[in-house]
Every structure is written in C-alpha cells, then in structure tokens.
C-alpha cells in the first residue's frame, strides 16, 4: 500500500543556523533534523533529562544562550557532561 503522506525535503533555504540539544536518549533524532540545515550544530548532553535550559547545567545553558543572543553555534561534536 502506498504511503498516503510521503515526506518531502525540508525547506531549508534562507533559514538561519539551528542549534539542537539532545540527551543520550534523544540526541540522534535531534541531530538528524539539525544536520539538514546548513551551518547548524547539535550539542549532546551526556546524561538523562529534558528541558536542558532549565537544568542548571552551565555548559548546555551557555551554548543555548549564545545561540539565542547572537546565533552562535558550537563546533560539531560538542558534548556537555553533567556538572560542567
């Protein structure tokens, strides 16, 4: 049976770089979306949890704040460890 709503390419033209953040359970899903947008990056938080911006983790919060204030994304492969 054919798919009723096949996916289409993500319309990334003219989008600013995107910052993704994912924990050990959802990083791969987040990263697979973010990599489709040129200049984007995903921060991996090497621990459990959700709402990283409210977690108190200085590393994750720092990357999110830099992105929100001036669209700066970290280098590919950036990892935040709990307690950093």
């Amino acid at each position: 049976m054919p798919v009723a709503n096949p996916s289409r390419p993500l319309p990334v033209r003219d989008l600013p770089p995107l910052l993704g953040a994912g924990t050990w359970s959802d990083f791969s899903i987040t990263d697979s979306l973010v990599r489709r947008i040129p200049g984007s990056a995903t921060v991996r938080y090497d621990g459990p949890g959700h709402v990283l911006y409210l977690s108190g983790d200085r590393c994750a919060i720092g990357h999110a704040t830099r992105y929100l204030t001036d669209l700066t994304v970290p280098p590919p492969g950036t990892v935040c460890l709990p307690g950093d």
Side-chain angles (χ1 to χ4, degrees):
M1 183 157 83
V3 176
N5 59 344
S7 61
R8 293 178 289 220
L10 187 64
V12 299
R13 189 178 204 185
D14 299 324
L15 287 178
L18 181 65
L19 174 64
T23 63
W24 57 26
S25 64
D26 59 10
F27 174 81
S28 61
I29 295 168
T30 303
D31 190 52
S32 70
L33 172 66
V34 170
R35 279 186 286 135
R36 297 176 188 181
I37 302 168
S40 298
T42 305
V43 172
R44 177 184 168 92
Y45 178 72
D46 200 21
H50 296 286
V51 294
L52 287 176
Y53 198 79
L54 301 175
S55 70
D57 184 79
R58 292 183 306 183
C59 177
I61 291 169
H63 289 299
T65 299
R66 282 186 290 283
Y67 176 76
L68 293 171
T69 57
D70 61 18
L71 292 180
T72 298
V73 294
T78 296
V79 176
C80 290
L81 302 172
D84 277 357

